[in-house]
Amino acid sequence: MPGDHNFEHLPLPLQYRGPALLKGGGSRSKQTKANKASPQMHSASLTASAQSLTANWQARKAQRQEQEGPMIPEGIPILLQVDPNFNLDELREKFLFEIVAEQEEGYVLVASEDIEITLFLKMVREFSDTVHGSARIAEIHKLFGEPERLRHILSERLFAEWSTLSDDQIYIVDIGVACTGTQEIPNKPTTRGKRDSDADWERKAQEWSHARSDAYTAWDELKVEREDKIMEFVRFYEAELLDIADGAPFESGVLPDSFTVRLKILGKGLKDIVLNYPYVFEVVEPEDISLPQREIEEGTEALAGVELLPPDSDAPAVCVIDSGIQEEHVLLQHAIDVKESYCLLPGHNANDVGDFVRPGGHGTRVAGAILYGETIPENGTQQLPFWIQNVRVLEDNGGMPTRLFPPYAIRAAVTRYYHSHHSTRIFNHSINANGFCRMRYMSSWAAEIDMLSFEFDVLIVQSAGNLSISAGSPQVGIRDHLAAGRNYPDYLYEASARIASPAQSLQALTVGSVGYGLLTDGDWTTFAQERGHPSAFSRSGPGIWNVIKPEVVEFGGDDLRTMHVPPDVQKGGRIPESCPELVRSTMFPPGPVFDRDDTGTSFAAPKVARIAARLQHVLPDEPALLYRGLIVQSARWPAWAELLLTKLRQPYLEAEQRKHLLDQTSQVIRCIGYGLPDETRATVNTDHRTTLITSGKTPIGAGECHIYQVPIPDELRQQADEFDIRIDVTLSYVAQPRRTRRNLRHYLSTWVDWKSSNLGEGLNDFRARAIKQEENENNTLPGETLPWSLHANPKHGHIRDVKRNSGTVQKDWAVVKSNKLPDNFCIAVVGHQGWSRDPDSTAQYTLAVTFEVLGQEIPLYEPLRTAVIELQEIEAEAEAEMEVNE
């Protein structure tokens, strides 16, 4: 019989591995089909465009050589538009084009060292003559030069102002430079020829290994070469390289396929780089990074009559990357890891770590939310649960100086504290750009978070960003929306309300804010009408590539409005109950040590970091990937939103009512993601709720499939019973990013998704559907698809227009009747090829599955626990028998 238990998480058994059964690629576009039908016309168009491009480039290069300036490379920059399903590797293999950057709708920036683009024009002629092997030209739709190329490189603002840029004016810009060249890792030999001797096969393996090593060496050398070239421009135009102003090495913050530099440079130098350096893929002005300046009313003095004890020496540590912390604060001082405090601000002493943001601080409030959550104790004795580490990156006014490059700042903080004596793995980053995130590429700031998450076992909890009360153009504040007739919550779905960088990072756990409900004071009322409604200021999703962002929300308070015309708007301090209870800096008296006087996603995020730290305490040996997965797994929509899903589950709905509900749920997920996480659900099981998890980070390569099996006990599937069982599944994974790719499946080296068995589908039938070449001698029983809330297809599920598998944390949930449960519930995790062709490239993932009896009619934990133990014993016996037979 199974031993005693304490409702610990159960192991999720991995039962089968094999090659994944993958579906074919997408169909070709209408334009490609039209080009195939008219090869001569298409060839003539491409030839004319190509010849014009080369002539213009030769003329520009001749003119450039007459002027003083750094030598520029031979490459000609070209903007292509190709079929969205076109394999970009063929551009390199067939035409020796370097892929500088991929964008949406088939646009690709390339560079060719052959100014005449000879190989390309040769195949174009062959396509016109219908020569065998030239048909792929139909998939290359157009070639563009200037100004269309500039439109795809410059930010919207810079492109609009390009013609009026002054040669003698100084500009501060972030420039992205690609550095992968045309070198690529060849396909690894996998099939041994019948006549290959052992020596021949070994030689092939060695040749491939050397070729792979040569590719990595070539990429490193090319990166250094292009860094040096940018430095030539810097020296010639007497520009300033701002990202190393504090003495950081140039390599800090670079990604494998590109690097980004922040330059302070004259307009003529900026024009020279953009027009003549063919490997530039992005030029944007720095994002305005500062804390929202929102009026705060002074609270009343409060006393902290509680005795606080330091955390245990081995308690988890949470690093707060923020404006500094008032480390001597009576509510914080015992938890501060003082020896590790550090200031990254240029021109400041490393020990300058105080929180000087008026009037009540920012990092101080964040630290308090991590330690205390919703309620700050006023009496009694309490041991603090975590250590707080303090790294200051914001100035007294809450802004980040342009001389501190955000990708460098986040990398410096993470690497420093990950290697500290606490081996910190949880980081709170309640800092955002003031405006909404750009969608052309993953920003260098967000991509750096993705890269750090790949390199280290860390979780970065990121605020979604706030809408200001009022904002100047081009930003739009809450008052501006209301004045334009866009009421709450409709304005939250506007592009101007989109999450702020770096919240679009795929690996960051992005947190939005919800309010405490309808509260009034005279003419003033909260925007939220029910508990858990989106806060008036909380920025919404989706993020880049339609990824669900924010993933979760917490209580960050709400703003207030009047019903006047036009309405007035202010922060929630007038109604204290509309604000979260937060520790407050006392550096600028008068003011209490804690109060309800401030709001923001900045204070929702640390409440989620608190849950992550609790998970680290409960599961200290598990990866941060699992902490992220369990936080999302624990999330639930608030009651008002869950009611929409309950209505959609009704079997008989009128078409118009169903459409209205579907529209509503699509909007809900944009604002609150998967909902409110819960510390208890994340860390503890009950008799009626059971979570099964994988242990450690499981590697999976492209084309691989892993099948997990959860045996469902007979007593949970009695035909006479009809209890509601909620099933939640969350996959959390990480892979290496590549910033020059604007496509989810090319941004990551390996991307991963999951699918489940159906109701009534047998184990062998599911294996045959998930693993390639699995034999199933019985008649296939496909079963009935679970009523997933999201589904892999955005046209299915109860929530439309989003896909559950678009991000690196993928959750779905369904409610089924207990008598419809299969005898085995299975999940297949599948790896797919991203940008990397290295066969040793893998993604790392964790998986969680939860079963819950919603009405608590029958116990669930012990029967599932017993079934899992019995399955493991059977597998162990089978393996032992196989070893004996061998």
Side-chain angles (χ1 to χ4, degrees), residues 472-491:
S473 179
Q475 305 304 327
V476 185
I478 297 172
R479 281 199 188 106
D480 307 315
H481 281 297
L482 297 178
R486 293 184 290 270
N487 292 320
Y488 168 91
D490 296 341
Y491 66 75

PDB file of all heavy atoms in Angstrom, residues 472-491:
ATOM      1  N   GLY A 472       1.078  63.068 -23.322  1.00  0.00           N
ATOM      2  CA  GLY A 472       1.300  63.863 -24.518  1.00  0.00           C
ATOM      3  C   GLY A 472       1.516  62.990 -25.724  1.00  0.00           C
ATOM      4  O   GLY A 472       1.934  61.835 -25.613  1.00  0.00           O
ATOM      5  N   SER A 473       1.222  63.526 -26.908  1.00  0.00           N
ATOM      6  CA  SER A 473       1.390  62.780 -28.155  1.00  0.00           C
ATOM      7  C   SER A 473       2.828  62.281 -28.274  1.00  0.00           C
ATOM      8  O   SER A 473       3.769  62.976 -27.873  1.00  0.00           O
ATOM      9  CB  SER A 473       1.036  63.692 -29.332  1.00  0.00           C
ATOM     10  OG  SER A 473       1.209  63.018 -30.543  1.00  0.00           O
ATOM     11  N   PRO A 474       3.094  61.086 -28.777  1.00  0.00           N
ATOM     12  CA  PRO A 474       2.131  60.188 -29.437  1.00  0.00           C
ATOM     13  C   PRO A 474       1.434  59.212 -28.481  1.00  0.00           C
ATOM     14  O   PRO A 474       0.699  58.359 -28.921  1.00  0.00           O
ATOM     15  CB  PRO A 474       3.012  59.424 -30.417  1.00  0.00           C
ATOM     16  CG  PRO A 474       4.315  59.293 -29.690  1.00  0.00           C
ATOM     17  CD  PRO A 474       4.480  60.579 -28.918  1.00  0.00           C
ATOM     18  N   GLN A 475       1.680  59.340 -27.168  1.00  0.00           N
ATOM     19  CA  GLN A 475       1.026  58.450 -26.217  1.00  0.00           C
ATOM     20  C   GLN A 475      -0.405  58.926 -25.942  1.00  0.00           C
ATOM     21  O   GLN A 475      -0.753  60.072 -26.231  1.00  0.00           O
ATOM     22  CB  GLN A 475       1.825  58.391 -24.916  1.00  0.00           C
ATOM     23  CG  GLN A 475       3.277  57.986 -25.104  1.00  0.00           C
ATOM     24  CD  GLN A 475       3.426  56.656 -25.810  1.00  0.00           C
ATOM     25  OE1 GLN A 475       2.598  55.760 -25.649  1.00  0.00           O
ATOM     26  NE2 GLN A 475       4.476  56.511 -26.610  1.00  0.00           N
ATOM     27  N   VAL A 476      -1.207  58.029 -25.402  1.00  0.00           N
ATOM     28  CA  VAL A 476      -2.602  58.347 -25.106  1.00  0.00           C
ATOM     29  C   VAL A 476      -2.889  57.927 -23.669  1.00  0.00           C
ATOM     30  O   VAL A 476      -2.676  56.777 -23.292  1.00  0.00           O
ATOM     31  CB  VAL A 476      -3.566  57.617 -26.067  1.00  0.00           C
ATOM     32  CG1 VAL A 476      -5.000  58.061 -25.808  1.00  0.00           C
ATOM     33  CG2 VAL A 476      -3.179  57.871 -27.524  1.00  0.00           C
ATOM     34  N   GLY A 477      -3.348  58.884 -22.849  1.00  0.00           N
ATOM     35  CA  GLY A 477      -3.672  58.595 -21.471  1.00  0.00           C
ATOM     36  C   GLY A 477      -5.148  58.276 -21.285  1.00  0.00           C
ATOM     37  O   GLY A 477      -5.943  58.333 -22.229  1.00  0.00           O
ATOM     38  N   ILE A 478      -5.511  57.966 -20.043  1.00  0.00           N
ATOM     39  CA  ILE A 478      -6.891  57.569 -19.754  1.00  0.00           C
ATOM     40  C   ILE A 478      -7.845  58.727 -20.037  1.00  0.00           C
ATOM     41  O   ILE A 478      -8.898  58.544 -20.663  1.00  0.00           O
ATOM     42  CB  ILE A 478      -7.016  57.096 -18.296  1.00  0.00           C
ATOM     43  CG1 ILE A 478      -6.146  55.845 -18.076  1.00  0.00           C
ATOM     44  CG2 ILE A 478      -8.470  56.793 -17.946  1.00  0.00           C
ATOM     45  CD1 ILE A 478      -6.044  55.421 -16.625  1.00  0.00           C
ATOM     46  N   ARG A 479      -7.485  59.939 -19.594  1.00  0.00           N
ATOM     47  CA  ARG A 479      -8.338  61.095 -19.869  1.00  0.00           C
ATOM     48  C   ARG A 479      -8.516  61.288 -21.372  1.00  0.00           C
ATOM     49  O   ARG A 479      -9.614  61.629 -21.838  1.00  0.00           O
ATOM     50  CB  ARG A 479      -7.719  62.350 -19.270  1.00  0.00           C
ATOM     51  CG  ARG A 479      -7.927  62.523 -17.776  1.00  0.00           C
ATOM     52  CD  ARG A 479      -7.700  63.965 -17.361  1.00  0.00           C
ATOM     53  NE  ARG A 479      -7.704  64.105 -15.910  1.00  0.00           N
ATOM     54  CZ  ARG A 479      -6.610  64.299 -15.172  1.00  0.00           C
ATOM     55  NH1 ARG A 479      -5.431  64.368 -15.762  1.00  0.00           N
ATOM     56  NH2 ARG A 479      -6.714  64.435 -13.862  1.00  0.00           N
ATOM     57  N   ASP A 480      -7.437  61.096 -22.132  1.00  0.00           N
ATOM     58  CA  ASP A 480      -7.491  61.285 -23.585  1.00  0.00           C
ATOM     59  C   ASP A 480      -8.466  60.298 -24.221  1.00  0.00           C
ATOM     60  O   ASP A 480      -9.232  60.654 -25.124  1.00  0.00           O
ATOM     61  CB  ASP A 480      -6.091  61.122 -24.190  1.00  0.00           C
ATOM     62  CG  ASP A 480      -5.060  62.007 -23.505  1.00  0.00           C
ATOM     63  OD1 ASP A 480      -5.375  63.179 -23.272  1.00  0.00           O
ATOM     64  OD2 ASP A 480      -3.969  61.504 -23.195  1.00  0.00           O
ATOM     65  N   HIS A 481      -8.421  59.053 -23.763  1.00  0.00           N
ATOM     66  CA  HIS A 481      -9.350  58.049 -24.295  1.00  0.00           C
ATOM     67  C   HIS A 481     -10.797  58.434 -24.001  1.00  0.00           C
ATOM     68  O   HIS A 481     -11.666  58.385 -24.879  1.00  0.00           O
ATOM     69  CB  HIS A 481      -9.053  56.677 -23.687  1.00  0.00           C
ATOM     70  CG  HIS A 481      -7.891  55.969 -24.298  1.00  0.00           C
ATOM     71  ND1 HIS A 481      -7.864  55.583 -25.618  1.00  0.00           N
ATOM     72  CD2 HIS A 481      -6.708  55.571 -23.759  1.00  0.00           C
ATOM     73  CE1 HIS A 481      -6.714  54.971 -25.863  1.00  0.00           C
ATOM     74  NE2 HIS A 481      -6.004  54.949 -24.761  1.00  0.00           N
ATOM     75  N   LEU A 482     -11.060  58.814 -22.759  1.00  0.00           N
ATOM     76  CA  LEU A 482     -12.425  59.156 -22.387  1.00  0.00           C
ATOM     77  C   LEU A 482     -12.914  60.374 -23.165  1.00  0.00           C
ATOM     78  O   LEU A 482     -14.074  60.420 -23.606  1.00  0.00           O
ATOM     79  CB  LEU A 482     -12.507  59.413 -20.886  1.00  0.00           C
ATOM     80  CG  LEU A 482     -12.184  58.222 -19.964  1.00  0.00           C
ATOM     81  CD1 LEU A 482     -12.267  58.635 -18.505  1.00  0.00           C
ATOM     82  CD2 LEU A 482     -13.107  57.042 -20.240  1.00  0.00           C
ATOM     83  N   ALA A 483     -12.026  61.368 -23.343  1.00  0.00           N
ATOM     84  CA  ALA A 483     -12.412  62.565 -24.085  1.00  0.00           C
ATOM     85  C   ALA A 483     -12.729  62.251 -25.532  1.00  0.00           C
ATOM     86  O   ALA A 483     -13.552  62.935 -26.168  1.00  0.00           O
ATOM     87  CB  ALA A 483     -11.296  63.605 -23.998  1.00  0.00           C
ATOM     88  N   ALA A 484     -12.095  61.195 -26.074  1.00  0.00           N
ATOM     89  CA  ALA A 484     -12.318  60.802 -27.473  1.00  0.00           C
ATOM     90  C   ALA A 484     -13.510  59.867 -27.610  1.00  0.00           C
ATOM     91  O   ALA A 484     -13.776  59.373 -28.719  1.00  0.00           O
ATOM     92  CB  ALA A 484     -11.064  60.142 -28.033  1.00  0.00           C
ATOM     93  N   GLY A 485     -14.223  59.605 -26.501  1.00  0.00           N
ATOM     94  CA  GLY A 485     -15.403  58.745 -26.561  1.00  0.00           C
ATOM     95  C   GLY A 485     -15.106  57.274 -26.432  1.00  0.00           C
ATOM     96  O   GLY A 485     -15.986  56.434 -26.658  1.00  0.00           O
ATOM     97  N   ARG A 486     -13.870  56.928 -26.054  1.00  0.00           N
ATOM     98  CA  ARG A 486     -13.523  55.513 -25.849  1.00  0.00           C
ATOM     99  C   ARG A 486     -13.632  55.224 -24.349  1.00  0.00           C
ATOM    100  O   ARG A 486     -12.784  55.627 -23.559  1.00  0.00           O
ATOM    101  CB  ARG A 486     -12.110  55.229 -26.360  1.00  0.00           C
ATOM    102  CG  ARG A 486     -11.968  55.364 -27.863  1.00  0.00           C
ATOM    103  CD  ARG A 486     -10.571  54.971 -28.327  1.00  0.00           C
ATOM    104  NE  ARG A 486      -9.564  55.934 -27.912  1.00  0.00           N
ATOM    105  CZ  ARG A 486      -9.181  56.992 -28.616  1.00  0.00           C
ATOM    106  NH1 ARG A 486      -9.750  57.249 -29.795  1.00  0.00           N
ATOM    107  NH2 ARG A 486      -8.246  57.814 -28.175  1.00  0.00           N
ATOM    108  N   ASN A 487     -14.675  54.531 -23.977  1.00  0.00           N
ATOM    109  CA  ASN A 487     -14.949  54.293 -22.576  1.00  0.00           C
ATOM    110  C   ASN A 487     -14.226  53.055 -22.065  1.00  0.00           C
ATOM    111  O   ASN A 487     -13.760  52.210 -22.839  1.00  0.00           O
ATOM    112  CB  ASN A 487     -16.460  54.143 -22.352  1.00  0.00           C
ATOM    113  CG  ASN A 487     -17.191  55.453 -22.582  1.00  0.00           C
ATOM    114  OD1 ASN A 487     -16.710  56.514 -22.195  1.00  0.00           O
ATOM    115  ND2 ASN A 487     -18.352  55.393 -23.228  1.00  0.00           N
ATOM    116  N   TYR A 488     -14.151  52.970 -20.729  1.00  0.00           N
ATOM    117  CA  TYR A 488     -13.606  51.767 -20.093  1.00  0.00           C
ATOM    118  C   TYR A 488     -14.635  50.643 -20.248  1.00  0.00           C
ATOM    119  O   TYR A 488     -15.824  50.863 -20.086  1.00  0.00           O
ATOM    120  CB  TYR A 488     -13.360  52.046 -18.617  1.00  0.00           C
ATOM    121  CG  TYR A 488     -13.074  50.824 -17.786  1.00  0.00           C
ATOM    122  CD1 TYR A 488     -11.777  50.383 -17.605  1.00  0.00           C
ATOM    123  CD2 TYR A 488     -14.113  50.115 -17.177  1.00  0.00           C
ATOM    124  CE1 TYR A 488     -11.515  49.257 -16.829  1.00  0.00           C
ATOM    125  CE2 TYR A 488     -13.854  48.990 -16.403  1.00  0.00           C
ATOM    126  CZ  TYR A 488     -12.555  48.570 -16.240  1.00  0.00           C
ATOM    127  OH  TYR A 488     -12.290  47.455 -15.493  1.00  0.00           O
ATOM    128  N   PRO A 489     -14.243  49.394 -20.556  1.00  0.00           N
ATOM    129  CA  PRO A 489     -12.872  48.939 -20.783  1.00  0.00           C
ATOM    130  C   PRO A 489     -12.459  48.945 -22.248  1.00  0.00           C
ATOM    131  O   PRO A 489     -11.411  48.398 -22.591  1.00  0.00           O
ATOM    132  CB  PRO A 489     -12.911  47.505 -20.246  1.00  0.00           C
ATOM    133  CG  PRO A 489     -14.288  47.034 -20.626  1.00  0.00           C
ATOM    134  CD  PRO A 489     -15.195  48.244 -20.485  1.00  0.00           C
ATOM    135  N   ASP A 490     -13.293  49.559 -23.120  1.00  0.00           N
ATOM    136  CA  ASP A 490     -13.027  49.469 -24.558  1.00  0.00           C
ATOM    137  C   ASP A 490     -11.658  50.023 -24.937  1.00  0.00           C
ATOM    138  O   ASP A 490     -10.993  49.498 -25.839  1.00  0.00           O
ATOM    139  CB  ASP A 490     -14.126  50.199 -25.338  1.00  0.00           C
ATOM    140  CG  ASP A 490     -15.495  49.546 -25.172  1.00  0.00           C
ATOM    141  OD1 ASP A 490     -15.533  48.368 -24.777  1.00  0.00           O
ATOM    142  OD2 ASP A 490     -16.508  50.207 -25.433  1.00  0.00           O
ATOM    143  N   TYR A 491     -11.223  51.093 -24.250  1.00  0.00           N
ATOM    144  CA  TYR A 491      -9.939  51.681 -24.652  1.00  0.00           C
ATOM    145  C   TYR A 491      -8.756  50.759 -24.355  1.00  0.00           C
ATOM    146  O   TYR A 491      -7.676  50.922 -24.919  1.00  0.00           O
ATOM    147  CB  TYR A 491      -9.746  53.057 -24.008  1.00  0.00           C
ATOM    148  CG  TYR A 491      -9.608  53.072 -22.502  1.00  0.00           C
ATOM    149  CD1 TYR A 491      -8.434  52.671 -21.867  1.00  0.00           C
ATOM    150  CD2 TYR A 491     -10.648  53.548 -21.700  1.00  0.00           C
ATOM    151  CE1 TYR A 491      -8.300  52.695 -20.490  1.00  0.00           C
ATOM    152  CE2 TYR A 491     -10.529  53.591 -20.320  1.00  0.00           C
ATOM    153  CZ  TYR A 491      -9.345  53.162 -19.722  1.00  0.00           C
ATOM    154  OH  TYR A 491      -9.207  53.204 -18.353  1.00  0.00           O
TER     155      TYR A 491
END
